[in-house]
Structures are given as structure tokens and as C-alpha cells.
Amino acid sequence: MKALIAEHPTSSERVRDALRAAHLYYMQDLTMEAIAAELHTSRSSVSRLISYAREAGLVEIQVKTPAERISNALQRVQEKYHVTLHVVPVPDSANEVDRLERVAMSAARILNPFFDSNMTMGIAWGSTISAVGRHLQPKVTHNSQIVQLNGAANTRTTGIVYASEIMSRFGNAYGAYVQQFPVPAFFDDPATKQVLWRERSIRRVLDIQKRMDVALFGLGTPLSDVPGHVYTSGYLDEQDFASLSASNVVGDVATVFYRADGSSADVPMNLRSSGPPLDQLARVSRRVCVVSGRSRLPALRGALAAHLITDLIIDEATVHGLLED
Amino acid sequence: MKALIAEHPTSSERVRDALRAAHLYYMQDLTMEAIAAELHTSRSSVSRLISYAREAGLVEIQVKTPAERISNALQRVQEKYHVTLHVVPVPDSANEVDRLERVAMSAARILNPFFDSNMTMGIAWGSTISAVGRHLQPKVTHNSQIVQLNGAANTRTTGIVYASEIMSRFGNAYGAYVQQFPVPAFFDDPATKQVLWRERSIRRVLDIQKRMDVALFGLGTPLSDVPGHVYTSGYLDEQDFASLSASNVVGDVATVFYRADGSSADVPMNLRSSGPPLDQLARVSRRVCVVSGRSRLPALRGALAAHLITDLIIDEATVHGLLED
DNA sequence: AAGCTACTTGCACATACGTGCACGGCGGTG
DNA sequence: CACCGCCGTGCACGTATGTGCAAGTAGCTT
């Protein structure tokens, strides 16, 4: 209940000491023992300082995959779709849940260097991105913002709690301003959307979306046995599914649907969805997609065909599935 | 699956395993024990794989200093000279040698993210940069090169062994092509330089120098009690020192001298030196200077005045000296 | 085929690191 | 002033990681 933002005189010094400790540890390879001596404190305090530095995002660790390490088949995929693959190693024995967790954790760390001060990141919230949100690495940024790409309300709830939970995790991790998007995921009537889209308060958000530097999204798939959040929580009804089926839809990004060839024009449902048009999305300079599980493969193929993705974070087993045709 | 018989790992497989282990360790926070289970090997092998990954530069660790952590005085320095400060913490008790070692180690790591594929780095070899060379973190790059900025020969030796030792350390660490510069550090006669500078083989090197993306240099100081390499190893004679003194020189970068106000025009010695003119150096997009020890302060002030530096790596004690005026 | 060299591997031990716990300082509260 | 709760600390212990060593293997040489 109380605001923890209080400024203890120690709080600022703690960061200073943590930075110093982290520098001595990571840049000068001193042991914690030696650092303790330099800081006139105990080794255990140094251990705590360094964990703090990591948790606070003062330390950034990247694992770099040299391009030539990637198999030829994957290189062809990369070139064909202008996408950078980030393959997450996961044991074949892992179940879907573990797999998603591990991909999400990796995604959170891979994402980190993509976002910085003065940038805007768009979030297409959903079950995959929610998992990513739970593993974010904090990072200090300034003048940055997080913008919600797709509405959250549905026929049962306003969805705001769930969506804003996700959004604020991102906001907190990066110290960024969070821009909510208080509209339904799908409108009942396209006309309502058109009218609402003329409102200045909404257009403000749409403008921010248009100018985002990074888009982060998972993939929805109406075909799956394990459907995404959007397909199980009362967002769509029988008729909607029929409509999607009739349009030969294979997946969606931020509630906007596309076909196997990547096209999304003339899909009636899109007139009612709250997310950004895919051709607009494709103009964002970095478009990060997180995928886990073979059930998303058809959706993934479509998204690649539509060139929606510049960085694909995907587990090993699924990327292998992508190569089998 | 082949069963128990150990397979002879090619170096390529080793890298693959190291990458996987590093990813699991740093991105997914698994313990080495757990990674060993996934890789069907022993924990100790995983420990070795991960050290290998670090040594091979597959893992990059950065400590980031949030801008607001820097004291106001230092911020003013940064703004005044358009320089980014990288302050290396070193205990006050450390002697000059330890201090240099630690600054050099930090410098090597700070440098790492500045250099990448398709780039050219110019090296002004000398005692400081030599120390940096001993601590380089390997990094895989392609189509990159290292170019020597100042000649090495003097009246006693060709200096090639020493200089090329330094150069090749950089080349090895980055997998970059090394471009030597086989000329004397200082010519006896300016005319000789002019003539030689018209040779195509030399002009090739000069052209590469002009197009470099990163310049790395220490500072020479003719005034110091602890003079730089150039001043102790037979590169200059009595008369030269007199000439420098008459020109009010406070320091040099790659054998090119400048005064306290940063000017370098009309310094006779510069007509004879092998390094790039300072106004040319100042056009390089990233210019990294490594400084350790208060004896270099006058030289540092001059180099800042000349705007030769975009990134200054400096120990704590020395940067404090910079503020005292 | 045997012998040699230059590896890599896993074990056992050594070292380094993380963390529960009890102590003590400090600020707020009655 | 006494009390209380909160927080940071160092200690001691448990866990995680690093490394010398002996054994084993592949690739060569003789």
C-alpha cells in the first residue's frame, strides 16, 4: 500500500557501490573477496551487491551466435524472409509449458538490447507475451514508452486487469511510460470502430502505435488444439470462427488475421479488430515475434510470408518443424 | 543415437555445444548440473564449455552506467568536450603499474562492443595500448581490419617486432586483417616523408587510415617523469626535445604533437612524424582514448581541447585530477 | 600393430559464491 | 524514554563452480 519509491540516503549509494562492484567483478575479473577488501565490506555483501546490479539491469549479458554457426537451411530461411532467427535450445523431452517458459525467458533477454531510451515499444499482449513479461530483465531507460497494440475488452470482462498487468510489467522493467489502449479486442460492428477511431483520445494512441520503434508479438492460431488466449476467452463466437474459416485464415498478430500467403486484405473480421493493419506493422523497424510450439507453425509460415517479422525467437523443436515441409 | 563411445568433437561441434551451454546458463539461468544433464555430459565439462564460450567471445558482458549516476562535474566535462567518460574504479592504494593494468583490462572490454564486422580500427601503438592488447576479449568479426597508425622504426631498431606483436594481438582477438605501417616513427627529414607518402604502397595504408571507423590511442607526454614509450626508446634526441619544448607541446597522439589549447599547426616535429594529422583523426566517428596516471593530465587536457576523443577510458584517481583546477 | 602425441573426459578435491540467521543501528511510534 | 519494526551486515554453512590429475581415445608415426 505504501509507495516504495522513497529515497533513502542509502539507495543512491547502493547503486553506486553495486556499479563499482559489478565493474570490478565483470570488467576486471576480481573475486568477490578482493572486491570486499576494496569496498571495505564483507564478501557476502559484495555478493548481494552484484546480484542487485544484475537484477537492476546494470549488467547486460548477451550470448552471440556467429552467423556461420547457423545451418544452411536456416540461413536460407533468414534470407528469404529477411528475418534474424534466435533459436532457443530446449530439450526435446520438455513439455509445452516448460518450453514456453524457457522461450519466454530467453526472449526477455534477447529483447533487452533492442529497447532503449527515446524508443517506443508496441506490445501485442497475449499468452506468449504474458510469459515474456514475467521474465523481463530490468533496464534503465528515459523518455521511452510502451504502447498497447490490441484492445482487451470482451463480452465477459473489460480484460483491463489482465492486459494492464502485462503492460505494466514492461513499463516497470524499462522505466517506460505505459500507454493503454482501452478498446475491445473485437468490435461487434465495424462502424463502431470507425467512429471510435476518429476520437482524438484514440487517435493519439494510434499515432503512437504508428511511430513505434519495436513491436513485440506472439502469434494467434485459430486452428490449433491449443489455441491462443484470444480464442478461448470469449473474444470470438461460433459465427466469428466460421467467418475466419471462410477467409482461410491461418493466424493473427494483435487480433489482425492473415492467410497462408500472408495476405490480410478482405478478411471481414479485420474490420472489427482493434490491432494495427499488418501493412502498417510491417513498417516498424524492428518486429520481434516469439513462438513456441509446433501448433503455431501454420501461423508462423503465414507471418513470415507477410514479412511481419524481423526477429524471430523460437524454440529448437519448432524451428525444425519449420524446415520440414 | 550412438551410445557410449565418445565421439571426437571437431572444433565446430565444440563451438556449438559451447553456445548451447552458454545460452542455457546465461539466458535460461540453468545450473551447470542441469545443463550437463541436457547435454549428456559431466558438470565439469559444462564448466569448461562455458569458460570456453567466454574466452572465445561468444558471451558479451557489459556494465552500464546510467547517465544520472555521473557527478555533475563530470557531466559538464562530457558536454563541453562531446566525450563519453568511462571511469574505471581503482583503489587509491594501487601503484601506477596495477592501475594501468586494470584500466587496460577494462578498456579491452569496453572496446569490444565498439568494433564489429566490416569495420576498420586504427591502433596508435604504445605502452598503454600494448597493455590493452594483452587483455583483449576475443570477438568474431568478418571483413574487418586493424590498421597501424604510427610507424615503429627508430634509430636503434626497426621496432617491427614490438609493434607487430601489438597489432597481431588485436588482429587475432577480432579475426581481423592486420595492416602494418612499415615506416619510421619519425623521419629525419620531412622531405623523405613527403616523398614516401606519394608511394602507392604507403598511400594504400594512408587511405585505409582515413576510412577507419574506430581509432584507439593512448597519450604521449614529453613532460612526464614517467614518459611514454616514444620518449624513452631512442625515437627522439636532445634537439627534438628542444624543438617540442619551443613549440609548447603538451602531448601527442600517434606521434603527432599538440599544444595545451589543442592546436597542432606549425609544430615542426609534426612534419616528420608518421601519424595521421589530428584534424583527420578528429573526423573518425569513434575515437577511443585510454589514459591512466596523473602524469598524463596535461596531455589529456590538450587532447580534450582538440576534440580528439569521443570515448575516454580513465581511472578514477586521474579523472579526479582532471576536475581539480 | 604397436607406440607416440595431443587431446578430451570425469572424478575428486579446492575454491568461490549464495543465503538463512542472528545481531545491531536507526527512525518512527506510543 | 522505551519500544518496535525495518533494514543492512557479517558469520557460518550449503551449494555451485573451477581445476589437477589419471585414464582413455583418436590420429599419426614407425
Side-chain angles (χ1 to χ4, degrees):
Chain A
M1 293 297 181
K2 49 183 164 181
L4 294 174
I5 311 167
E7 285 276 338
H8 281 237
T10 48
S11 155
S12 150
E13 275 178 8
R14 183 173 178 78
V15 174
R16 224 166 52 90
D17 287 350
L19 273 170
R20 172 175 284 251
H23 188 113
L24 293 170
Y25 190 72
Y26 289 110
M27 305 287 258
Q28 298 188 18
D29 288 343
L30 302 196
T31 70
M32 294 187 179
E33 192 83 49
I35 297 169
E38 288 201 11
L39 298 192
H40 307 294
T41 181
S42 72
R43 192 186 53 71
S44 42
S45 293
V46 173
S47 170
R48 291 185 179 103
L49 278 177
I50 291 175
S51 343
Y52 171 75
R54 275 197 304 253
E55 281 159 25
L58 271 34
V59 176
E60 198 166 298
I61 301 182
Q62 295 173 49
V63 177
K64 337 191 21 157
T65 308
E68 67 278 12
R69 283 280 130 236
I70 298 173
S71 79
N72 285 340
L74 290 185
Q75 278 187 20
R76 278 195 298 277
V77 170
Q78 297 202 121
E79 281 163 27
K80 181 167 176 188
Y81 300 111
H82 300 289
V83 67
T84 302
L85 291 174
H86 305 266
V87 179
V88 177
V90 168
D92 295 335
S93 56
N95 61 41
E96 285 289 316
V97 178
D98 287 349
R99 199 167 290 246
L100 175 58
E101 281 303 299
R102 292 175 64 159
V103 171
M105 189 183 295
S106 302
R109 313 225 175 165
I110 292 167
L111 195 59
N112 225 288
F114 295 168
F115 189 64
D116 216 323
S117 294
N118 307 310
M119 293 179 81
T120 299
M121 171 156 38
I123 305 283
W125 65 275
S127 54
T128 302
I129 299 309
S130 168
V132 175
R134 273 181 264 121
H135 294 288
L136 290 174
Q137 293 286 108
K139 169 166 182 167
V140 182
T141 70
H142 301 284
N143 187 33
S144 58
Q145 57 185 340
I146 306 291
V147 60
Q148 183 175 337
L149 294 183
N150 50 337
N154 64 21
T155 52
R156 293 198 218 138
T157 74
T158 60
I160 285 186
V161 175
Y162 179 68
S164 84
E165 163 89 14
I166 297 172
M167 297 295 296
S168 59
R169 275 185 200 276
F170 281 84
N172 287 336
Y174 298 131
Y177 179 73
V178 171
Q179 187 57 60
Q180 308 266 4
F181 193 31
V183 299
F186 298 101
F187 290 86
D188 291 333
D189 182 348
T192 315
K193 175 181 165 185
Q194 285 188 14
V195 173
L196 196 55
W197 256 220
R198 282 190 222 113
E199 285 288 316
R200 279 184 302 173
S201 66
I202 294 296
R203 276 167 51 185
R204 216 188 86 259
V205 178
L206 295 175
D207 273 356
I208 296 170
Q209 289 179 354
K210 265 183 206 146
R211 289 196 308 272
M212 67 185 160
D213 305 287
V214 185
L216 176 66
F217 52 88
L219 297 178
T221 165
L223 310 168
S224 165
D225 298 332
V226 191
H229 184 79
V230 168
Y231 303 95
T232 53
S233 305
Y235 289 88
L236 300 173
D237 61 24
E238 283 298 321
Q239 214 176 336
D240 297 333
F241 279 111
S243 162
L244 293 177
S245 187
S247 308
N248 292 312
V249 156
V250 298
D252 82 271
V253 169
T255 73
V256 181
F257 299 92
Y258 52 83
R259 306 188 189 83
D261 63 359
S263 67
S264 54
D266 307 320
V267 174
M269 276 297 292
N270 287 347
L271 298 174
R272 294 167 41 204
S273 63
S274 56
L278 298 185
D279 57 345
Q280 177 192 318
L281 181 66
R283 283 195 292 272
V284 175
S285 58
R286 198 183 282 272
R287 315 183 290 276
V288 183
C289 177
V290 184
V291 172
S292 166
R294 304 179 67 109
S295 60
R296 308 289 169 102
L297 275 174
L300 176 55
R301 289 208 176 84
L304 286 172
H307 289 95
L308 295 181
I309 308 174
T310 62
D311 290 85
L312 175 59
I313 301 169
I314 185 171
D315 68 285
E316 216 166 22
T318 306
V319 86
H320 286 151
L322 187 62
L323 297 176
E324 298 160 8
D325 253 33
Chain B
M1 275 288 201
K2 287 192 182 172
L4 304 169
I5 309 298
E7 320 221 348
H8 36 279
T10 65
S11 91
S12 142
E13 277 177 356
R14 184 174 176 77
V15 173
R16 223 168 52 88
D17 287 351
L19 273 170
R20 172 176 284 250
H23 188 113
L24 293 171
Y25 190 71
Y26 289 110
M27 305 288 257
Q28 297 188 19
D29 288 343
L30 301 195
T31 70
M32 295 187 179
E33 191 83 47
I35 297 169
E38 288 201 11
L39 298 193
H40 308 292
T41 182
S42 73
R43 192 187 52 70
S44 42
S45 292
V46 174
S47 170
R48 290 184 180 104
L49 278 176
I50 291 174
S51 340
Y52 172 75
R54 274 197 303 254
E55 280 158 26
L58 272 33
V59 177
E60 197 166 297
I61 301 182
Q62 295 174 49
V63 177
K64 337 195 21 158
T65 308
E68 66 276 13
R69 282 281 133 234
I70 298 172
S71 79
N72 285 342
L74 289 186
Q75 279 188 18
R76 277 195 299 277
V77 171
Q78 296 201 123
E79 282 164 26
K80 181 166 176 191
Y81 300 110
H82 301 289
V83 67
T84 302
L85 291 174
H86 305 265
V87 179
V88 177
V90 168
D92 295 334
S93 58
N95 60 41
E96 286 290 313
V97 178
D98 287 349
R99 199 169 289 245
L100 174 59
E101 280 304 297
R102 292 175 64 158
V103 171
M105 189 183 296
S106 302
R109 313 226 174 164
I110 291 167
L111 195 59
N112 225 289
F114 295 169
F115 190 63
D116 217 323
S117 294
N118 306 312
M119 292 178 82
T120 298
M121 171 155 40
I123 306 284
W125 66 274
S127 54
T128 302
I129 299 308
S130 169
V132 175
R134 276 183 268 126
H135 294 288
L136 291 173
Q137 293 286 108
K139 168 165 183 166
V140 182
T141 70
H142 300 285
N143 186 34
S144 58
Q145 58 185 340
I146 307 292
V147 60
Q148 181 176 338
L149 295 183
N150 50 337
N154 64 22
T155 52
R156 293 196 219 141
T157 75
T158 61
I160 286 187
V161 176
Y162 179 67
S164 85
E165 162 90 15
I166 297 173
M167 297 295 297
S168 60
R169 275 184 200 275
F170 281 85
N172 288 335
Y174 298 131
Y177 179 73
V178 170
Q179 186 59 61
Q180 309 267 4
F181 194 31
V183 299
F186 297 100
F187 290 85
D188 290 333
D189 182 350
T192 314
K193 174 181 166 185
Q194 285 188 14
V195 172
L196 196 57
W197 256 222
R198 282 189 221 112
E199 285 289 315
R200 278 185 302 173
S201 66
I202 296 295
R203 276 168 50 186
R204 216 188 87 258
V205 179
L206 295 175
D207 273 357
I208 296 171
Q209 290 179 355
K210 265 183 206 144
R211 289 197 307 272
M212 66 186 163
D213 305 288
V214 185
L216 175 66
F217 51 89
L219 296 179
T221 164
L223 309 169
S224 165
D225 298 333
V226 190
H229 184 80
V230 169
Y231 304 96
T232 53
S233 304
Y235 289 89
L236 300 173
D237 59 25
E238 283 297 321
Q239 215 177 335
D240 297 333
F241 280 111
S243 164
L244 292 176
S245 187
S247 307
N248 291 312
V249 156
V250 298
D252 82 271
V253 169
T255 72
V256 181
F257 299 91
Y258 52 83
R259 306 189 190 83
D261 62 358
S263 67
S264 54
D266 306 321
V267 174
M269 277 296 293
N270 287 347
L271 298 175
R272 295 166 42 203
S273 63
S274 57
L278 297 186
D279 57 345
Q280 176 192 317
L281 181 66
R283 285 196 292 271
V284 175
S285 58
R286 197 182 283 271
R287 314 183 291 277
V288 184
C289 177
V290 183
V291 173
S292 165
R294 305 180 65 111
S295 60
R296 308 290 168 102
L297 275 174
L300 175 55
R301 290 209 175 85
L304 286 171
H307 289 94
L308 295 181
I309 308 174
T310 62
D311 290 85
L312 175 60
I313 301 169
I314 186 171
D315 68 283
E316 214 166 23
T318 306
V319 87
H320 286 151
L322 187 63
L323 297 176
E324 299 159 7
D325 247 35

